Amino acid sequence: MILDQFLKEEINSIQVHQLKTHKYKTNTIVVNIVTDLTEENVTKVALLPYILKRGSKQFPTLKQIQEKLDHLYGARLDAFVFKRGERQIVQFSCEVANEKYLNENGSLLSKAIHLLGNLITQPFVVDQGFHLEIFESEKELLAQRIKSILDDKIQYAEQKMIENMCKDEPYRLPADGRIEDLDQITKENLYQFYHNWITTSRIDFFIIGNYDESIVHSAISKFFLLPKRQVNPLARVMVDIPIKEEKIAIEELDVKQGKLNIGLRTYTTMQDEDYIPMLVFNGVLGGFAHSKLFVNVREKSSLAYYVASRLDSHKGIMTIQSGIEIQNYDKTVEIIKEQIQLMKEGKITDQEMDQTKAILSNQLKEMLDRPRQLIDFAYQGILSGTPRILSQMIEQIKNVTIDDLVRVGQKVKIDTIYFLRDHVKEEA
């Protein structure tokens, strides 16, 4: 099962990707709607999936939606918003039982597509705006989600580091939007925005399972009732940002544990030939429990409660997150920098390479058992413009050398060090 097995066609200006297989007993549907992250629209887009999921023209109440799902043998429906690089994506998903394995007349898959299509393209509208009660409820829930980030200091520190690092880049914007935008959003102007969003944003419809392709084609044509669409091209992601000097941002809050987050530019995205070596570089540095950061910062030096690195390969950024005792800030920064330098010098053991490659390869192989992950893998290729094949990636990981890591490591540069600490006591 590889990416090339997705059959692609366009239906109603929707990009449809089908993967037929007997491997699963359910059919998995994912609909992704992507737009650029922008200050003007980020919070409006963040509201849409939650409002659309609450009711549609044909299913105006949660009770009716739940009854529909119950009739589909307890099908699972979800909707949320996330970001990849400088793109904001609204995702609807539904996992539905396959009637081929049940005593069921009629297509459960067609009925599931009917529900999804109605929720996405036929919203519950009253007087040229979204239903007031639904709108106000979801607006308040979004405000609570945005405010709650302050209670999760790990997530808060990560977001604040990104804001400091990417002050003039769309990437600084959180997928859930900004609290200060909410007062300006009304049920009327959000519905007007929805019209523009649904007619200009790229829509990708994925399905994996054992089904009849003609049912999918017929159901999308019938139930995704879209107006005439003119899809806007996505803006180029800002990757080649020069680093004039290493930035340091220290914030004081009422915390007992310090949060040290470091942002680095890798200047390497999924489109680049160096993408695979950069995956391995990140794995050896801080991706796993055997990695240099975990072993040397946490295990040997006992400086961190947790420490790890991760990549956003749509943006060309690596971030390092750690939780430390506040007085250990300087020493922790020093040892983290030492590990990065060791990577650049190629001071990497065969064991570190072998373990990293094995885990990365196993992660890719495990996707074959998880339809949602397979869809996400395929979608990453679409977003980056560089589709990849799982079996080829596994072979490419196997062939990465320490010299490859040294080469890509020369591009990796620290941009921002952010430290969340307690309030400094003023001397009497």
Side-chain angles (χ1 to χ4, degrees), residues 182-203:
L182 287 172
D183 285 345
Q184 307 304 316
I185 300 175
T186 66
K187 63 185 183 68
E188 290 83 12
N189 66 30
L190 184 62
Y191 178 60
Q192 290 171 1
F193 171 77
Y194 159 82
H195 259 294
N196 180 67
W197 172 77
I198 202 67
T199 55
T200 60
S201 302
R202 174 177 171 128
I203 303 175

Side-chain angles (χ1 to χ4, degrees), residues 127-142:
D127 297 330
Q128 297 301 305
F130 287 113
H131 185 273
L132 180 60
E133 184 179 336
I134 292 174
F135 171 78
E136 293 291 351
S137 171
E138 291 304 327
K139 189 174 172 181
E140 177 58 31
L141 287 170
L142 180 60

Side-chain angles (χ1 to χ4, degrees), residues 140-173:
E140 177 58 31
L141 287 170
L142 180 60
Q144 291 174 17
R145 280 195 297 275
I146 295 171
K147 290 175 183 175
S148 70
I149 191 175
L150 188 58
D151 298 324
D152 183 346
K153 295 300 188 291
I154 294 176
Q155 189 180 356
Y156 176 81
E158 176 73 358
Q159 178 57 36
K160 295 298 285 188
M161 188 277 292
I162 292 296
E163 288 175 7
N164 279 277
M165 180 176 175
C166 304
K167 285 182 180 176
D168 301 315
E169 303 163 55
Y171 191 70
R172 75 189 184 282
L173 298 167

Side-chain angles (χ1 to χ4, degrees), residues 268-282:
T268 303
T269 68
M270 294 184 75
Q271 296 174 306
D272 300 319
E273 288 185 7
D274 283 339
Y275 168 62
I276 300 296
M278 190 60 75
L279 277 182
V280 180
F281 183 99
N282 176 68

Side-chain angles (χ1 to χ4, degrees), residues 53-68:
K53 184 188 173 186
R54 284 282 300 273
S56 69
K57 189 174 183 179
Q58 189 169 350
F59 308 101
T61 68
L62 278 175
K63 184 174 182 290
Q64 288 171 295
I65 294 169
Q66 189 57 54
E67 286 174 352
K68 181 73 171 178

Side-chain angles (χ1 to χ4, degrees), residues 13-74:
S13 72
I14 296 171
Q15 306 305 312
V16 179
H17 314 266
Q18 300 188 52
L19 184 62
K20 282 199 68 173
T21 173
H22 295 277
K23 190 177 179 73
Y24 314 113
K25 294 290 191 289
T26 59
N27 291 318
T28 300
I29 306 166
V30 171
V31 181
N32 289 330
I33 307 172
V34 61
T35 188
D36 288 315
L37 269 172
T38 65
E39 273 195 19
E40 180 185 4
N41 297 328
V42 63
T43 311
K44 292 176 183 175
V45 173
L47 262 174
L48 284 176
Y50 305 105
I51 289 176
L52 295 175
K53 184 188 173 186
R54 284 282 300 273
S56 69
K57 189 174 183 179
Q58 189 169 350
F59 308 101
T61 68
L62 278 175
K63 184 174 182 290
Q64 288 171 295
I65 294 169
Q66 189 57 54
E67 286 174 352
K68 181 73 171 178
L69 293 171
D70 290 342
H71 290 152
L72 296 175
Y73 290 84

